[in-house]
Amino acid sequence: MNGLFAYLALAVVSTGVIWKGSELLERAAERLSKHFGLPVAVHGAVVVAIGSSFPELSSVVLSTLLHGEFGLGVGAIVGSAIFNLLVIPAASALASEQLETTRDIVHKDAQFYIISVLVLFITFALGATYVPGGTNAEAILTPALVLMPLATYGIYVFLQYQDARDYIAEPVRVNVPREVGALAVSLLLITVGVEGIVRAALGFGEIFNTPSFLWGLTVIAAATSLPDAFVSVRAAQVDESVTSLTNVLGSNTFNLLVAIPVGVLLAGPTTVSFLAAVPMMGFLAFATLVFVIVTRTHLELTDPEAYGLLVLYLLFLAWMTLETLGAIETVRGI
């Protein structure tokens, strides 16, 4: 019991460290974007999204290199993507008077995010069927195989560059070295916090005798999604709905197409439970479609729709809890 409380305390403290680092990161990224005159959409979809996705990237790198638990990092990425799609837009809508969307968000950012989900699933499927050693139960991801999602993210950045090329903004002067220093400190804080939350998740897995993938899908996913939640809610409160929503989509795109491949590039050929990945990716695809539908209707996310997204996330947590307790066995990989 003492061990459980110790890991709970570690998880809470680590989440607080991630939160503080995220605040610092968000301020530095915003000032640097204004200094270089980036458009709001690019700021949200690329700069803020990559910065606020650093916890997820750290979770993959640390769990793979320090703990040999690549599955923990993959679970954190998929769980974070689900959290970002269902909880963050709902929280942003409820925290603001009106969370509006645009056709560009739905038709460009959301559609490219759907492509990223498909590309990652195809990568897993190729690892299970075409890479020597892969089976219907396990997928082997190789450095050569993950070049496909990395190249897809390169296309995403190129498209954002095309949109920003003709944009002219009045740059805001800031102390660039100071902001870069603040950015570096924020990334260090986030790394320390993520290592703490990874250790807590591994401890929970040992105490409850459950797979690490599950704790990555829930505990680490929620903790590492705090930067995205903080940035999006704050943007929504100051009537920057575009930044709020593009941050969610841009962050998820980065997580799926970059964070997981980086883990493979660092660790070399890595095995992933294909049986667990298929239903998780299926639920992620379903959550994505729900997100697109509710943001496209009237180009606004209403309070009833926000509550519906929160209920869907609670159902996801209930599903994972029942799987852990052995009450149901719909995910054979777990």
Side-chain angles (χ1 to χ4, degrees):
M1 186 62 70
N2 290 335
L4 177 60
F5 284 123
Y7 285 125
L8 283 173
L10 178 61
V12 172
V13 172
S14 299
T15 301
V17 173
I18 295 173
W19 183 283
K20 185 62 181 177
S22 302
E23 282 186 313
L24 192 60
L25 182 147
E26 189 269 340
R27 287 198 299 267
E30 181 178 2
R31 290 168 182 167
L32 288 172
S33 290
K34 289 181 178 179
H35 174 77
F36 293 106
L38 295 181
V40 173
V42 175
H43 170 70
V46 179
V47 179
V48 176
I50 293 177
S52 58
S53 294
F54 188 75
E56 287 91 339
L57 178 61
S58 299
S59 69
V60 173
V61 173
L62 294 175
S63 61
T64 300
L65 293 184
L66 298 184
H67 305 284
E69 290 279 356
F70 181 71
L72 184 70
V74 173
I77 294 298
V78 176
S80 176
I82 295 172
F83 184 96
N84 289 351
L85 280 175
L86 300 179
V87 177
I88 294 180
S92 299
L94 296 175
S96 62
E97 293 184 2
Q98 188 178 35
L99 187 68
E100 297 179 344
T101 183
T102 65
R103 285 181 172 83
D104 281 344
I105 292 176
V106 176
H107 296 158
K108 186 186 70 173
D109 295 278
Q111 287 185 7
F112 198 94
Y113 170 62
I114 293 174
I115 292 174
S116 71
V117 175
L118 293 175
V119 167
L120 185 62
F121 181 79
I122 291 172
T123 302
F124 284 164
L126 290 175
T129 55
Y130 285 93
V131 176
T135 66
N136 290 332
E138 293 182 335
I140 298 178
L141 303 182
T142 64
L145 189 60
V146 297
L147 291 178
M148 181 171 62
L150 287 173
T152 305
Y153 189 76
I155 295 173
Y156 174 72
V157 173
F158 175 74
L159 293 177
Q160 294 292 344
Y161 164 74
Q162 289 293 309
D163 290 342
R165 188 173 56 179
D166 298 327
Y167 179 83
I168 300 176
E170 187 68 28
V172 177
R173 290 187 174 274
V174 299
N175 188 327
V176 175
R178 185 181 65 184
E179 298 304 330
V180 171
L183 200 64
V185 171
S186 70
L187 296 179
L188 178 61
L189 284 174
I190 291 173
T191 301
V192 172
V194 169
E195 171 60 12
I197 204 71
V198 168
R199 289 181 180 273
L202 291 173
F204 291 145
E206 292 178 359
I207 291 174
F208 295 103
N209 192 28
T210 51
S212 59
F213 178 85
L214 184 63
W215 294 101
L217 200 66
T218 52
V219 175
I220 297 181
T224 55
S225 292
L226 279 179
D228 299 303
F230 176 80
V231 170
S232 295
V233 171
R234 182 173 177 179
Q237 289 176 332
V238 295
D239 296 327
E240 294 182 0
S241 300
V242 172
T243 299
S244 179
L245 292 176
T246 54
N247 170 55
V248 168
L249 295 170
S251 176
N252 276 11
T253 301
F254 178 86
N255 288 341
L256 297 181
L257 298 181
V258 177
I260 291 178
V262 165
V264 175
L265 292 177
L266 291 174
T270 309
T271 301
V272 176
S273 173
F274 192 56
L275 289 177
V278 169
M280 294 301 99
M281 294 298 292
F283 187 88
L284 177 58
F286 173 69
T288 300
L289 292 177
V290 172
F291 173 85
V292 170
I293 291 172
V294 298
T295 52
R296 180 62 183 85
T297 53
H298 308 296
L299 294 177
E300 177 187 356
L301 185 60
T302 63
D303 286 356
E305 290 170 336
Y307 286 120
L309 293 179
L310 291 176
V311 169
L312 184 57
Y313 185 72
L314 291 177
L315 290 175
F316 169 71
L317 292 182
W319 177 31
M320 290 296 97
T321 301
L322 292 175
E323 286 284 352
T324 303
L325 297 176
I328 57 176
E329 294 183 2
T330 56
V331 185
R332 290 185 292 164
I334 294 181

